Amino acid sequence: TQLLKPSKGFCIKIKDKQLGKIFINICHSPLIEPMDTVDSVEDKVRGSRISLPHAVGVERSVLDNKKIKSKVFDVIFHSESSYMMAELNPAIKKIMCEIDITAVSSKLNSSQLSKDYIVLTKVSCKGGDPPMLTLNKNEKVDDNKKKTKKNTMINEVKNIRHDNTTDIKVPKYEIIHRGQFQLSDFEIP
């Protein structure tokens, strides 16, 4: 798991029949896997397949210009190979926007998301700066380790401190909470 602070890119607006307006911020970070192209032949036609790895942030709410509550999603691509290519090549930008709509559609479990979108020229990121996200890297675990790994919420603490000067008892176990949370929901006092 790695903390990811995406940079602003551009924003598109789409509509859903039930949910109304949805804004998608296309952001970028060097921590996302870069774009990859592979030459291929399909039905005797030569071409290239493009792989655009991306990460989708959590759903946020924002007020639009008419003060109506709308949903906002951040979709993050690689900074140099994906985002910069999209800025230079309109075909890549179109593919990137279509990927965004598909990713948000699957996140919302909605098939009524319009494929028509508008690129907002005066808005680089709806809802302010994109929040920090946690990026889970896929780790290859070998089968022997997988079988022996404990998946418990309480682990025994191996290094137990003994404090003889006070009457404070140091616990022998630690409770681990696993789950997702949004760092922007918390404040530093």
Side-chain angles (χ1 to χ4, degrees), residues 2 4 28-36 51-55 76-83 96 135-138:
Q2 197 171 16
L4 171 81
H28 56 95
S29 170
L31 298 177
I32 302 294
E33 293 291 321
M35 179 176 80
D36 188 25
S51 171
L52 281 167
H54 58 280
I76 303 102
F77 292 90
H78 188 265
S79 294
E80 293 171 13
S81 70
S82 301
Y83 179 75
M96 189 179 279
L135 180 66
N136 295 325
K137 293 282 187 180
N138 293 339

Side-chain angles (χ1 to χ4, degrees), residues 68-69 87 102 119 128 142 184:
I68 298 171
K69 192 174 180 180
E87 288 296 307
T102 305
V119 177
D142 97 15
S184 63

